[in-house]
Amino acid sequence: MSRTTRISARFAVLQDQSRKAFVPYLTAGDPDLATTGALCRMLAEEGADIIELGVPFTDPIADGPTNQRAAQRALDRGIRPDGILELVRALRSEGFALPIVLFTYWNPLRMLLQLGGGYDALAGIDGILVTDLPPEHGEEHRAACAAANIDTIFLAAPTTPAERLPGIAAATSGFLYYVSSKGVTGARAELAAGLEADVGAVKAAAGALPVCVGFGIGTKDVAARVCEVADGFVVGSALGNVIEKTAEVGGDVVEAARDFVRRLDPR
Amino acid sequence: MSTHGPFDDAGRFGPYGGAYVPETLVAPLQELATAYAAARVDPAYTATLDGMLASWGGRPTPTTFAARLTEELGGPPIWLKREDLNHTGAHKLNNALGQALLAHRMGKRRIIAETGAGQHGVATATVCARLGLDCVVYMGEVDAARQALNVFRMKLLGAEVRTVSSGSRTLKDAINEAMRDWVANIDDTFYLLGSALGPHPYPTMVRDFQSVIGTEARAQIVAGAGRLPTTLVACVGGGSNAIGLFHPFLGDDCAMVGVEAGGRGVATGKHAARFEGGSPGVLHGTRTYLLQDAWGQVLETHSVSAGLDYPAVGPEHAMLADDGRIRFTSVTDDEALDAFHRLSELEGIIPALESSHAVAWVIREASSMDPEGLILVNLSGRGDKDVRQVAAIEGVEL
């Protein structure tokens, strides 16, 4: 694919430097949007390559308890997708340069597009990952994203049969997201056995497309193992746990998260 | 063997249905669709299912002429399809048994299910006991409190009941939790979904298992009344009892009325009337009518009846509503409670609060209907489970 996005540009640089991508996930609006913005800046300072911003949804069936609670807190605060887009625009206007991926369920995205003027109104968003939109249902979404120069990140999972991989790869741009284990999001102490072989198969199908691995990556050891086989690693719930625990006791969320990221990053 | 997938045309109901699921579930749904397609044409499987429904489940259930109710209302004759007489007290067993036998065939030893009122949980626990399968039932905290009797019944039957304290703590959240369990335990676990909703193949499969209701009722009413009904009535939560009654009549010239939970009144916002108060959206893997806010967040629902307290509805109902084939309407909690008493006193049948909604619509409308017509109501379940709750609502100490 010849078009360039912030995501593809970032991976081009990483590949030149033989580096792996660190992709942190934040539930947007938890504990509040200002803190989400501050966390984004901190993560850029600490060497993150791509930010995933989670759109809170009432019924996040792919998420474990940490992300569920974060989404519920954000919804209780009245966080809406238009507010998240406003935050992204504000970050861009101050020169925030990292690619931003919207991590969302289909229903809130669908309504945001209806209310907010479609894909062209998503300025500042570089990629979209829709947890519950398989490529078979995502053809219109993919075409509209391509027209708006937004990458479409689809997922492969340990249950994905080999014959589905080419179709998933063909629908994907930016990077392909491999779900490390059977289960919902949430930090785990160990990676699934056979991850290396599974990632190998996904990479073979993905061709030139980078493959990042997420779900369950919460320690330096696990991240290091992922970096041996994949092009990047996603950290969500483990970071969310730090944010949650620090916010609960009124601590400095950004600094606690910074400390965690420094200890976690194996690169 | 040919394979069937979650994105087949068979899973589409016009613009509704489909399989909006995380990638992890795509292959398991494909495996399920393929196994189901093979089972339904396998005479050994259907013979086992039919045999158990008869010898253990108590089918066929009768269709009863409600003479006193008919006389009292002064409208067309009213007949009741008696799913309350099915083993475990509701139509739920028809589907639970069909799916559990399928799980058995697929070699899955662990069954998970969600439940609202507890009837699907009880039916699932019951078939798991009979077939020797492990059973875990997810139930919202609110529902577990108002249906404590069913929680105990499930435990008696050897099931583990896991209460769900996230979100609105009702059926919707129990489904979320069951889907999360399934994603995590895909290798040995079969998700026995209790209504005609969720991703393909569930809406089709559950409809097929529940169509025994309409198939029996059609033959029974022709035999008993000498003609076909002119109006079919059923309550609609997810919509499995309704689609089970309606589907075998789709080619007939009869009206179909789906009665949703109007709660405290649709105007109050405290209801589960998806067609009147909702719009198309995606929840639990299917595109259908959904109670949601302007930003696509799913709204909390209210109904006196836990089994109707759900923000979405089966996708086939969504299509048939758009087509004008099924007319959807609602009755309030108060109307349903009144019907609960009236049917008990007039016919000697204590109906489930869910089924009371269908009866309530008949009570409201029968007198203005053509007396030459014939009403067939799906009495989807019995009200024993609701007696304590109704007593509490009415301030009666037991």
Side-chain angles (χ1 to χ4, degrees), chain A residues 47-211:
Chain A
D49 295 291
I50 298 168
I51 306 282
E52 279 187 6
L53 279 186
V55 177
F57 180 47
T58 42
D59 295 271
I61 54 169
D63 282 298
T66 302
N67 288 351
Q68 286 175 45
R69 288 195 300 269
Q72 192 57 55
R73 283 191 298 267
L75 290 170
D76 291 346
R77 286 190 77 88
I79 302 299
R80 300 191 322 207
D82 54 341
I84 299 169
L85 293 184
E86 218 168 280
L87 168 69
V88 171
R89 281 195 296 273
L91 284 167
R92 293 301 182 211
S93 70
E94 66 185 55
F96 187 82
L98 291 191
I100 295 176
V101 170
L102 221 47
F103 184 108
T104 182
Y105 289 81
W106 181 233
N107 207 50
L109 177 65
R110 196 181 61 77
M111 295 299 259
L112 170 67
L113 293 167
Q114 267 181 33
L115 281 177
Y119 289 85
D120 290 333
L122 301 179
I125 300 291
D126 307 295
I128 302 180
L129 184 162
V130 191
T131 322
D132 57 349
L133 191 72
E136 287 84 348
H137 283 323
E139 188 41 43
E140 275 180 45
H141 166 72
R142 197 204 55 74
C145 281
N149 205 34
I150 296 171
D151 281 320
T152 44
I153 293 139
F154 286 97
L155 301 98
T159 52
T160 304
E163 60 266 26
R164 271 180 67 72
L165 287 173
I168 292 170
T172 302
S173 62
F175 65 92
L176 200 152
Y177 191 125
Y178 181 70
V179 175
S180 73
S181 50
K182 295 169 189 166
V184 293
T185 59
R188 303 189 227 306
E190 291 189 9
L191 276 179
L195 179 87
E196 283 83 356
D198 289 348
V199 172
V202 173
K203 278 195 67 71
L209 202 59
V211 175

Side-chain angles (χ1 to χ4, degrees), chain B residues 20 65 121 141 284 304 328 393:
Chain B
Y20 295 82
F65 175 50
E141 230 172 32
H284 294 147
V304 69
F328 284 90
I393 289 169

